[in-house]
Amino acid sequence: MIERATICLENGGKHVLHIPRKSFTTRRSLHSAFWSHGAGDINLPNWWHALLQVPTSNPPRWFSKANTRKTRNTVSDTNGLGLLDFLYPVRTLAIIREYVRKSTTALPRHPRSQLPPQRSRNYTSIADIPTNDGQGQVGAVDDTATDHASAVDLAAIEASHLTNTELTAKLHDSLFIHQQVSVCQLWGYYVKLRERSVLLAPNDLAQLFTRLSQSHGTFGLEKTRELFDSIDPSERRAVHYACAVSAALRQDDLRSAIGLHAEAATCVGGGSFGTSLVFKHAVERANWNAALAVWRQFGDHRRMYLPESFLWAEIDRLPLPGLLEHARNAVEFAISSIEESTFAEAAPARKLAFAVVHRALSVHNADFDPFVQADLVEKAQSLQEPSGDLLRAAILQHLSLGVQNSEHSQRGLDLYRTARMNPSFVPDQELLHALLRRCHDLRSSEEMYYILEDYRKHHMEVPRHAYLPLLSQLARHGDIDVVDQLSREYISRFGAQDISVLAPQLLHACYRRAEVDRAIGVIESLQQKYGYIPDIRAWNTVFATYSRVDDCEGAMRILDRLVATNVKPDSKSYGILMGMFAKRSDLAATNEVYEQAISEGVNPSFDMVSSLILALATNDRLDEAERMAEHSLDMDLDAPPRKIPSLTGDHTRTRMWNILLGQHAMKGQLDKVFSLQNRMQEAGIAFDGATYAALMQSLCIKKLPFAAQKILKVVMPKVGIRPTALHYAIVMSGFLNVKDYPKIFSLQNRMDKQGIKPTFSTRNTLLRAESCMDEKDYFEGNSDHPTFEASRAQKVLTDTLDHLNPMELASLGPSKFAQSNAPNVAFQTSYFPYMINLYGRKRLFDKVAEMYDLYISTRQKFSPDVNASPPVELLSALMTSYTKAGEYHEAEKCWQLALEKAQHVACKSDADTSQAGWVLHKYRFFLALPLTRHMHVLAATSRIDEIGPLVESLQQAGFQLSTHNWNKYVQVLVQNDRALVAYQICEGKLMEGWPGWQRFGPEINAKRSIKKQWVPRSWEMARPFPHYETLVYLASAYLTAQGRAYGVGKELVREMEEVAPKTVEAVYKMPKYDDKIQNLLLSRE
């Protein structure tokens, strides 16, 4: 009996379903005890266990006695299959019958090869049952299809025991409430209802469409199309078409999707039916003919019902970089259409391309490749369509990324400048306002003039909201006249009630231009006309203007004026005053102002402490300055500067530490610079542009300009700090020191490409580089002129003077080549000392006179104080020329002017120049350059004895002689038969740090090494060192003394050895070189 039951089970579950047999009719059933007695050792297949998963204690909801009776009494349910119903439990038999009923469609997906291997015992009577393929080979089957079919069948089985109402409600709940129900189950429920001819509600049918079309895998997509085909065309709604289109597209059947879309466009009255999906699919795959068809269908049939957004909904969701590429492809398609057909026939393609381009350019606040956008705009303009709107959209797209992305913002402004030359470009107020905000954020002034012009040209007047940004930025640019004009215009249109807003902009423009008298005039004028009462912020701007021209006395007069008018200075006021004295290294005056502020109850601010650190640093008390910077980390200071978004960390103390970095950088102390920067990182102090400028300066002084250039090109952009003209000037000067002139020109070109305007610092470096190239060409014989002609340098100077603009003063950063001059003087005069000195050394005195006349005319053009004495650097250059020309009287006049200049510039606050020690520490070398030239004059006019008293009086006043001064003094003494005095001065002033000739290595390198010790920088002036030429002069004097009469010569040599042993030793051991100076001075001895 057991064997017979096993055969029936195997044949019924796996084989019999394929073999139609006559059904057995029987009502006998085994007792339930059969299943637990005597059959436990039968190894049943897995499918059988699956049929027994429903526990006996919890029958399914659809199971009932009625169903049991129906199942047991209905013989036809077995479909003619030979099943022994008495072998099966009651409820299992019903499940098997339902499963067998679906075998006609399910069995092709379930071949025998996919079933688990037979695990039951084989008996001899059934051991040779043939397989489906006759060979027992296992074939491949789609597991996913098997799972889907099984799930559908099981859902249908479950649904078969529900009434129509119950099944409809279950499908509705599964569609809208129980979202976890699979699409296979949903389809099974739907099939059962369809068999019963039950129609779904429209909402249920639409939801079923949506669930099927959005499902994963191919099953749902296939059923979507099957469901769509089953609906009568007259009853199809927009949602049905939308789901069918979506399913076709997900199967990459674009042709069917376009056909469905075309049918929907003509048949459906309203709603969305997948237009955006088809359009997006065609665009993404660059099928522009299909995209054009959809676009035209939408325009012909749907535009009257739907807004334009229905077409672009999916396109707008694409990432902007990809969308720009698609737009560029659309333009290329339009261009090819024009080439392959007539211009009129290609009109739809052109219009489609422009529509895609405009859509791509309308996406904002997303990053993109600016070069792709530029190429897109350029190609789109070739389609011969009005490009004004196109340029407007491109500009707004750049500006949408905000000020944090300076590259896009700058490109937007550049594109605006270019677009203004296009006749079809008419900027509306929205665009102008966006440009205005971005220019204000970027502090870009040049475009402000274009915006102002476009407001008046295209909109007749400037709107009220635009005045303040315009005034603010133009004031920053230093354009006093335009700011004054706009202010008057605003008052005439809107009244003077906003005078408190306009006055600070006028004062700020004066500050940027360093025009003190005009700032005072603005305040007095506004007081008289409009009753303006300046507050402390306005007076602080006046203080800052005095600071720009280094007028401490004038600032103190304003302070006294404030005290008289009961306006109390704040911490910023005292910070500015202290900064003025600290820049001049007037430590006593700085401390005095600080104590006055504390006595008046003003809490120390960051600017005040920074000024104290600067005063200490400029007096070479760097250790004290560093201790104060460390102490400030724990101080509670007021009035922190405005936070800079690009800086991370504590930005309030950055300036204090930058002061220390700058002082060590000028001394070439690279290790100390690195140490301080590490300390800044440990303390969480932010780095800014000045921090990196100090590091670059120290590297350039150490003749490592390539390392500084790496910081400029790599490090600073990486940390988000944009290099300025000062950074370029530092690196360019570094390459000037190592005579790598092509690098200077390369950096200048890089500045131009990045839109960084040159300053007098970069122009001075370029001027020197070009003059060096001129000298090189002259000495190498490459010049076309028989005499020296600085043609390159002259061209740079001419171009500079032609474009000289006082608004350049609006650049607040520190500058190179300013020397001791205020910015309003340096920007116009810094070029002439070098050129006059260059021509003077070449004895081109006509050129010197020409340069001086050019200086006078330039000074008259930009400076109201025409009678002011020239800068000391220019006086020194003139003295060189006059000395070489033998015009000693003129050179003497220049020296007197230099002394007067020193008394005005280098004098301490409230000091008496008739007393000793009146010179500020910072200006102790102020007369170093003209003093050397004056020594030549005194020697040439046989007044050598006046040099000693002159040097003594200068030192008593507080001036110091540079290394070059002492060496020249010694050489002049030797040349005028003052050998013993020369040895004494050399021993006392120059030989203290003499290391000996062995310090310089092999003899062949000694001369070159000792000449490198003199570097014409201020920090080297405090380290006296003997020049090679000086030692040769002293050697000549020593040999001359030895060659004299026995008694006189021996006594002089003995005195030299007594008063200057180090000098005599250096002279005695000096290597012999076959050079010009030794051959001239020592060959006769």
Side-chain angles (χ1 to χ4, degrees), residues 467 845 1081:
Y467 274 98
F845 305 119
L1081 298 178

Side-chain angles (χ1 to χ4, degrees), residues 127 138 163 177 198 239 326 375 396 516 587 624 628 665 733 749 800 833 865 889-890 909 970 989 1011 1020 1045:
V138 179
T163 64
I177 301 177
V198 177
V239 65
H326 296 324
D375 184 53
L396 286 174
V516 175
L587 181 58
E624 295 180 46
M628 180 169 289
S733 298
N749 293 333
T800 297
D865 189 6
H889 180 68
E890 295 296 330
S909 178
V970 171
K989 300 299 182 181
K1011 294 188 73 173
E1020 287 285 358

